[in-house]
C-alpha cells in the first residue's frame, strides 16, 4: 500500500493505493495518528485502492472518531 498525504491548513488529504488489509492497516494507523492533531477535515481518496478489508475499515473509522473528538 502507498500512502500520499497533503496538508492544506487544517485539511488532511490522504490518497491510498494498493491494498488496505490486516497487513497494511497498522501502517495507515500510525501515519494518521501522527497527522491528526489540529485537523478539522479529513479527505480520503480511494480511487487507486484495490482492496479494503474490515481491518482497514476499522482504522478509517477510528481515525474519523479521533478527528471529531480533537476538533471539538
Amino acid at each position: 500500500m502507498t500512502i500520499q498525504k497533503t496538508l492544506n491548513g487544517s485539511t488532511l488529504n490522504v490518497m491510498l493505493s494498493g491494498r488496505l488489509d490486516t497487513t497494511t492497516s497498522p501502517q495507515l494507523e500510525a501515519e494518521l495518528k501522527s497527522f491528526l492533531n489540529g485537523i478539522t477535515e479529513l479527505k480520503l481518496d480511494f480511487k487507486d485502492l484495490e482492496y479494503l478489508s474490515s481491518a482497514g475499515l476499522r482504522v478509517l473509522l477510528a481515525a474519523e472518531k479521533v478527528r471529531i473528538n480533537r476538533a471539538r
Side-chain angles (χ1 to χ4, degrees), residues 7 17 20-22 25 28 30 36-37 46 53 56 64-65 69:
L7 187 57
S17 60
L20 179 52
D21 55 23
T22 304
S25 60
L28 178 61
L36 287 179
N37 281 333
F46 297 141
S53 75
E64 179 61 5
K65 184 176 179 180
N69 289 334

Side-chain angles (χ1 to χ4, degrees), residues 31-62:
E31 292 277 340
L32 290 175
K33 280 184 180 180
S34 68
F35 272 87
L36 287 179
N37 281 333
I39 297 301
T40 58
E41 188 173 0
L42 177 61
K43 293 184 179 181
L44 301 167
D45 182 345
F46 297 141
K47 73 177 182 185
D48 293 326
L49 193 64
E50 298 168 7
Y51 177 78
L52 174 60
S53 75
S54 60
L57 186 56
R58 277 191 297 276
V59 169
L60 296 172
L61 293 172

Side-chain angles (χ1 to χ4, degrees), residues 1-17:
M1 178 182 63
T2 303
I3 303 169
Q4 293 180 325
K5 301 176 298 298
T6 306
L7 187 57
N8 184 9
S10 62
T11 300
L12 178 61
N13 297 296
V14 180
M15 189 172 97
L16 302 174
S17 60

